[in-house]
């Protein structure tokens, strides 16, 4: 492994960003690669390509640091998170500019939903309520064994150990923070493997944590385009748990490796959110909620309501409203204050999304809006697209497109709407729009999804987050993240 001394406050040299391993900024063994701004197609910076040996060294550093960090009082661990939140907040402008350049997110999204949410997540776990740290004592006065078997029993939470955090490209601040902050709060150490498209922001997060007092080895960051980097950070014998956000296909491969070694998993995978819109719904509210698919990260978000199921009595009004809404959205430079829809992450992903629009046409869908590249000559843009007259067996209605595209399917009655919503490989977040609140709650309880929004696409950041079926394994966010990054230990004693 190539060695480096202190490489400056942010670990950057003239040749590019360095890895963060064991509290040191380390030159990558396998060189650097360019990170490209999806809006301009220009180079944002040069990211490091870690070797397998460097990944294993990062995991070993996390293992070495675990004992000391896990024994550090919870209040001291929380203080590190609090100081990191303050440091990130103080550099919000520059960090948001970098996030915008790496991801193509609009300035408002980069500031509020990327860096801003990361700050909020670090602060959330820096101010954990004492009641959240432990399971309430469970004392058994008697049991099946009778009086002779009476034992006192206390259930407590222990850290899992070394956690590999593998993050998605659509949010290089909020997604890693949602893994790192609760994992560190519980006394785990972490090795973060960011998505290859936008890793530079994650190194800034590591910089802030180090400056906040995280001891060497508690936080490590390794990156690379080669699949071997991700494979090594999963398979390392020093890793006890893998927390992954990304595609279902990759998640399945990671789960196979974790299963062989009995490693803990937290998987937040793909989605094809069904928006079930009844004919008594408020059309404007439904259109605005579904329209976030176009604007929020340009549809590159697993929670988007991309599969729109509309009762026939409202169908024509809703598809007309969606088409008009899509046509009003400004697509272009994410740095411009009036831009709503930015670019997709890469040229390859743009081609993939465009291929789905063409597939929809071939399958019989009607393109009511979008379906073409918008005006900017440079950048990986796709116009917000509405595919009407779809059926639930079309690929555009079943497969995750991960772009600003919605597929609209009509239904007749409540039973059919529920059946269509549940007829999916995915089950992350579904939505219900109805003027009858009782019906909306009744339908929500029948949907096979980890979360359901009623007349809203908003999120409660204390509610458990995760999916049914191929949308994932486990739950996090709020107190549930403390559960996810801990093991339950029972301590018993004579009664």
């Amino acid at each position: 492994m190539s060695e480096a001394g202190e490489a400056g406050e942010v670990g950057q040299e003239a040749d590019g960003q360095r890895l963060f391993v064991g509290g040191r900024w380390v030159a990558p063994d396998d060189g650097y690669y360019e990170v490209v701004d999806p809006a301009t197609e220009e180079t944002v910076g040069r990211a490091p390509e870690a070797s397998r040996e460097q990944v294993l060294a990062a995991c070993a550093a996390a293992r070495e640091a675990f004992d000391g960090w896990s024994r550090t009082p919870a209040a001291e661990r929380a203080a590190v998170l609090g100081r990191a939140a303050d440091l990130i907040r103080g550099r919000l402008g520059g960090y948001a500019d970098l996030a915008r350049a790496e991801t193509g997110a609009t300035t408002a999204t980069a500031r509020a939903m990327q860096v801003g949410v990361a700050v909020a997540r670090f602060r959330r776990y820096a101010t954990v309520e004492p009641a959240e740290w432990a399971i309430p004592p469970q004392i058994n006065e008697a049991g099946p064994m009778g009086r002779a078997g009476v034992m006192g029993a206390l259930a407590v939470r222990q850290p899992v150990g070394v956690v590999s955090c593998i993050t998605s490209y659509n949010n290089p601040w909020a997604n890693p923070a949602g893994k790192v902050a609760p994992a560190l709060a519980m006394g785990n150490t972490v090795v973060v493997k960011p998505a290859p498209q936008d890793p530079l922001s994650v190194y800034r997060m590591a910089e802030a944590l180090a400056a906040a007092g995280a001891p060497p080895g508690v936080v490590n960051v390794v990156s690379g385009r080669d699949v071997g980097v991700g494979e090594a950070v999963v398979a390392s014998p020093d890793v006890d748990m893998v927390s992954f956000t990304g595609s279902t296909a990759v998640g399945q491969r990671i789960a196979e490796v974790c299963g062989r070694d009995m490693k803990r998993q937290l998987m937040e995978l793909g989605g094809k959110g069904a928006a079930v819109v009844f004919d008594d719904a408020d059309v404007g509210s439904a259109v605005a909620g579904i329209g976030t698919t176009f604007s929020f990260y340009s549809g590159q978000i697993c929670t988007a309501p991309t599969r729109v199921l509309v009762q026939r009595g409202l169908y024509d009004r809703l598809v007309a409203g969606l088409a008009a809404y899509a046509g009003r959205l400004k697509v272009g430079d994410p740095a411009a204050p009036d831009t709503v829809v930015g670019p997709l992450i890469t040229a390859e992903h743009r081609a993939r999304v465009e291929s789905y629009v063409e597939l929809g046409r071939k399958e019989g869908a009607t393109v009511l809006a979008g379906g073409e590249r918008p005006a900017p000559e440079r950048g990986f843009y796709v116009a917000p697209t509405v595919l009407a007259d779809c059926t639930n067996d079309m690929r555009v209605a079943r497969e995750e497109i991960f772009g600003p595209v919605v597929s609209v399917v009509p239904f007749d009655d409540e039973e059919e709407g529920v059946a269509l919503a549940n007829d999916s490989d995915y089950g992350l977040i579904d939505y219900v729009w109805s003027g009858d609140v009782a019906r909306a709650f009744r339908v929500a309880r029948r949907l096979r999804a980890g979360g359901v929004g009623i007349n809203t696409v908003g999120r409660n950041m204390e509610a458990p987050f995760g999916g049914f079926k191929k949308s994932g394994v486990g739950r996090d966010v709020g107190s549930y993240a403390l559960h996810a990054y801990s093991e339950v230990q029972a301590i018993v004693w004579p009664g």
Side-chain angles (χ1 to χ4, degrees):
M1 181 178 80
S2 298
E3 294 294 334
E6 295 300 325
E9 183 186 1
V10 297
Q12 297 180 85
E13 296 288 333
D15 46 5
Q17 172 66 52
R18 299 200 167 198
L19 306 166
F20 191 59
V21 177
R24 293 167 58 83
W25 296 105
V26 181
D29 286 345
D30 293 342
Y32 301 86
Y33 65 93
E34 293 185 344
V35 176
V36 175
D37 184 333
T40 65
E41 302 183 44
E42 297 175 353
T43 299
V44 176
R46 303 183 75 224
E49 186 80 46
S51 65
R52 182 177 183 276
E53 291 72 22
Q54 288 179 309
V55 175
L56 296 179
C59 297
R63 170 60 61 199
E64 183 177 356
F66 170 70
D67 186 63
W69 181 248
S70 64
R71 292 173 181 269
T72 299
E76 293 182 25
R77 298 197 300 259
V80 171
L81 299 179
R83 290 192 293 270
D86 291 340
L87 288 168
I88 295 168
R89 181 67 181 84
R91 302 168 182 172
L92 189 148
Y95 285 168
D97 288 344
L98 175 60
R100 185 192 67 223
E102 284 194 283
T103 66
T106 63
T107 297
T109 295
R111 290 181 66 89
M113 301 308 298
Q114 294 190 349
V115 184
V117 170
V119 170
R121 285 180 166 169
F122 277 107
R123 284 183 175 156
R124 164 65 177 84
Y125 297 104
T127 55
V128 172
E129 294 294 328
E132 292 180 302
W133 288 104
I135 301 172
Q138 301 170 11
I139 307 298
N140 300 318
E141 295 183 357
M145 296 175 65
R147 299 299 300 176
V150 173
M151 302 286 282
L154 175 67
V156 297
R157 294 200 177 277
Q158 299 281 15
V160 179
V162 176
V163 181
S164 289
C165 302
I166 306 175
T167 64
S168 58
Y169 67 72
N170 59 343
N171 197 324
W173 279 96
N175 186 266
K179 299 178 186 297
V180 171
L184 296 185
M186 280 305 307
N188 303 283
T189 55
V190 299
V191 179
V192 186
K193 193 277 179 188
Q197 297 91 337
D198 52 8
L200 301 178
S201 290
V202 181
Y203 285 103
R204 302 290 74 75
M205 186 181 297
E207 161 203 324
L209 283 161
V218 169
V219 178
N220 306 270
V221 183
V222 291
S223 59
R225 293 175 299 179
D226 191 278
V227 296
V229 175
E231 290 174 348
V233 83
V234 171
S236 167
D238 287 312
V239 168
D240 302 291
M241 175 180 174
V242 177
S243 177
F244 171 71
T245 299
S247 72
T248 295
V250 175
Q252 288 171 322
R253 293 197 293 272
I254 290 173
E256 290 174 1
V257 176
C258 290
R260 288 196 294 270
D261 293 329
M262 300 304 293
K263 295 182 180 182
R264 285 278 301 280
Q265 304 171 44
L266 180 60
M267 297 282 182
E268 197 260 285
L269 307 178
K272 190 71 175 177
V276 184
V277 186
F278 289 98
D279 57 13
D280 62 351
D282 182 283
V283 175
S285 173
V287 167
I290 296 163
T292 60
T293 299
F294 308 132
S295 56
F296 199 51
Y297 300 126
S298 303
Q300 298 168 113
I301 184 166
C302 53
T303 59
T306 57
R307 190 166 51 111
V308 184
L309 311 176
V310 190
Q311 198 164 16
R312 290 189 188 277
L314 197 65
Y315 183 84
D316 290 341
R317 288 177 61 199
L318 189 87
V319 294
L322 282 173
Y325 186 95
R328 291 193 298 268
L329 300 177
K330 180 183 175 182
V331 181
D333 179 7
D338 58 343
T339 293
V340 180
V341 183
L344 299 181
I345 192 69
T346 62
E348 293 77 13
H349 187 53
R350 176 182 60 184
R352 179 180 181 274
V353 172
E354 289 176 332
S355 73
Y356 269 104
V357 176
E358 183 58 30
L359 175 63
R361 286 193 177 99
K362 292 178 180 178
E363 290 182 312
T366 302
V367 180
L368 291 185
E372 75 288 330
R373 291 188 184 180
E377 295 183 2
R378 294 181 65 81
F380 311 129
Y381 295 93
V382 169
T385 301
V386 178
L387 301 177
D389 305 319
C390 297
T391 59
N392 210 46
D393 59 350
M394 291 180 177
R395 287 180 59 190
V396 291
R398 302 198 68 82
E399 299 176 11
E400 187 176 37
I401 298 173
F402 220 60
V405 181
V406 297
S407 304
V408 191
V409 178
F411 69 88
D412 289 314
D413 55 26
E414 181 178 315
E415 287 299 317
E416 184 184 14
V418 171
L420 290 173
N422 288 335
D423 181 16
S424 173
D425 291 336
Y426 299 104
L428 187 56
I429 305 289
D430 285 346
Y431 306 88
V432 181
W433 269 275
S434 174
D436 184 340
V437 175
R439 173 167 68 173
F441 274 88
R442 180 176 69 243
V443 169
R445 292 292 301 271
R446 296 180 63 192
L447 296 178
R448 298 290 296 165
V452 181
I454 293 178
N455 294 328
T456 182
V457 292
R459 289 269 305 280
N460 181 321
M461 298 309 291
E462 290 296 312
F465 180 72
F468 288 14
K469 299 182 279 189
K470 292 184 179 180
S471 284
V473 177
R475 297 293 184 272
D476 66 357
V477 179
S479 297
Y480 296 90
L482 299 175
H483 302 177
Y485 293 99
S486 63
E487 296 276 18
V488 178
Q489 181 185 60
I491 301 175
V492 300
W493 63 92

